[in-house]
Amino acid sequence: MKWGEITELHPDRFVLVEAIKASSSNRVRQLEDIAVIQNYDNPQEAWSGYKELHKLHPTRELYVFHTSRSDVEVVEEFFSGASCKVDFELMDVQFSI
């Protein structure tokens, strides 16, 4: 599903999504095909849903976005010494764990 379709189906919501097809260029992750896993009223519920699913499936590429966003580009950040990289984006703030 494309981001525009998601924003139409879930207006003014927080959505937990999985990137089905994505690519990277110049440290920017382009999400080309996205599956909605759940939608939420508030960011705390969305973050809890993300953490629970990530704990069960750490290799899945999961994100949380608010559907008021016009696009869903994610800036990739890499940390030396870390064994894995997980990005979480909530509205316009990006968290990396």
Side-chain angles (χ1 to χ4, degrees):
M1 185 177 286
K2 300 293 183 197
W3 179 246
E5 297 171 283
I6 293 170
T7 61
E8 288 181 24
L9 289 171
H10 305 282
D12 200 32
R13 303 285 289 174
F14 291 92
V15 288
L16 171 59
V17 300
E18 179 176 9
I20 304 302
K21 183 179 179 187
S23 60
S24 296
S25 178
N26 297 322
R27 295 184 42 209
V28 175
R29 193 86 173 135
Q30 299 282 341
L31 307 182
E32 300 159 27
D33 187 17
I34 309 166
V36 176
I37 297 168
Q38 182 69 293
N39 68 81
Y40 302 91
D41 290 323
N42 65 63
Q44 293 82 13
E45 290 175 349
W47 177 237
S48 293
Y50 170 87
K51 290 189 295 186
E52 183 179 317
L53 190 57
H54 177 68
K55 190 181 295 185
L56 294 171
H57 305 283
T59 59
R60 292 171 72 176
E61 188 173 350
L62 305 170
Y63 300 94
V64 171
F65 298 107
H66 192 270
T67 57
S68 65
R69 293 177 55 105
S70 60
D71 65 8
V72 288
E73 288 184 348
V74 178
V75 176
E76 295 178 318
E77 295 185 24
F78 298 96
F79 300 95
S80 62
S83 60
C84 66
K85 179 181 101 28
V86 177
D87 287 332
F88 174 72
E89 186 164 315
L90 182 60
M91 295 182 73
D92 291 321
V93 179
Q94 182 175 350
F95 302 90
S96 295
I97 303 171

